Amino acid sequence: MKRVLLILGIAVAVVLLVLIALPFLIDVDRFRPELESTASHALDREVKLGHLSLAILTGKVVADDIEVADDPAFSKTDFVTAKSLEIGVELKPLIFSRQLNVTEIILESPQITILNGGNGTWNFSSLVGASRKNIDLSQAQPSSVSIGKFKVNNGRLSLKRVDSSGEPLVYDNFSVVFTNFSTTTVFPFELETNLPGGGNARLSGSAGPISIINVGSTPLTATLKATNVNIAAHGLIAPVIGISGTVNVDETFQSDGTKATLAGGITASDLKLLPTGPPSPRVISIQHNVEVELATQAGTIKQADISIGKAQLHATGTFDNEQNTRTVDLQLNGPTLPIDELQAMLPTLAVKLPSGSHLQGGEASVALRIKGSADAWDVSGPVKASNFTMVGFNLASQLGSFMGLDGKTISSPDTSFRSISLHVQMTKAGIQVDDLEIDVPSVGSATGAGTISPTGDVKIAMLGTPVGGLAGDLTKMGTAGGGESGKVPILLHGTLDKPVYTTDTSAAARAMTGQAVKGVVSVPIHAIEGLFSKKKKQPDK
């Protein structure tokens, strides 16, 4: 037994000695020119490798450094640099035949620079031969390169537009694995990375064959899952717009090389829609289906179902990227929106109500067209609401003499609306209100138009038809005498949170007196003007 153990120990020692000696006996560095040439030809970029050594126990050839040149049309610096590159090889052919068969490539801690040309091109677009001269690109095929596995570990990827002076977006801990990688067939992949501003993303699927005309046009099918994505940190939306918050993404991506389809869901938390507005207290979710033309970055939103609690909105339309300016032309519809669900969103949308008031009950509807760019946008269309109450706001007391002709005061602290409808047009210059119609059973009705400035100053002129008091009686008498209903001119001014109502007493008196004398009753004008001349009650502070 001792003899057997001794022989076994000697055998193990011999094997270890051989394994230790082999790296010194096999000069793998002599393969460096061949590897550099093969890689440079495959990528159509100059590739430089550092000194090669053999790690016999792992079966890997290790390069000290690696450099891959960038497309000279984008940059004179390197596209990829890394401190080490591990190349898995088949040991038997290497030891006995001095033949280098590559099985895997592992790139450790690389620095990768991605540049966007701003016209649909990228600095990686010309990889695998698209920049070669004197070839018919429509018929050309990439060099056939096959590797069992290609991995990038703990990389740092920087993304920037060449025409931008801003800082690049940085993706840390960037890792990707291509299995059964081939330039001429479909291969599976998995990619993970940390995101700028926090959060992380995982992309998995299949790609290939690689397009020789433009690597970015390579067919791709993948699933994207991303969490805690910081909207503002990605620079997709100009900071001046003020949109920020975090989103979670779960969607599929499919591209045939020229057109891509994105379908899935996005949920947004703490979403800010305006620079000065507070974040949304509600989670907003969007189920979408979008088609994008890869060359132009233009596309069609075929579906965008937006959920805010029980409130559902639907958007369709198009977007473009002309002259590096993102523009949209969308139709946003919400036919049945519970006002209680929208109440919490009003501050986020910069919709102000009279101080101390809030909305309760009822439904709203919108049919808005949203078009333009971040610097020149236009939102227009009808807005309606019905059967709701403005709690904490007494419209009758605000109107003063308009409601007080009969000497009575409506004491309810709230105002119930049967309906309100208007057509709005919102731009950076402010809001234009047209076709305004208001129906308040306890007060009356009114029609009008006006403006709201970007700072919130309101100027809306209305003609009101009262239902109570002497004003209402005179209106009825005017109608009975064959005249038109009496109208009281009302000016709404001040601000949305501190509205001020002013009635044109003289015009109102003349209008109603003129109708009343048509065979029913005659009231001296000066008497009616006296009734209207009562001081208007100031709004509560």
Side-chain angles (χ1 to χ4, degrees), residues 295-331:
T296 62
Q297 293 297 296
T300 301
I301 298 176
K302 303 177 72 174
Q303 170 204 1
D305 296 333
I306 306 165
S307 299
I308 308 172
K310 295 179 180 179
Q312 302 285 321
L313 297 104
H314 312 281
T316 58
T318 61
F319 57 92
D320 211 332
N321 195 36
E322 294 183 1
Q323 299 180 346
N324 298 330
T325 299
R326 293 186 180 92
T327 60
V328 300
D329 190 348
L330 306 176
Q331 188 68 41

Side-chain angles (χ1 to χ4, degrees), residues 135-158:
I135 61 174
D136 183 357
L137 292 179
S138 64
Q139 301 296 325
Q141 297 295 326
S143 301
S144 180
V145 177
S146 298
I147 302 171
K149 183 179 290 186
F150 178 83
K151 296 178 64 177
V152 174
N153 291 331
N154 193 31
R156 185 177 189 269
L157 187 148
S158 298

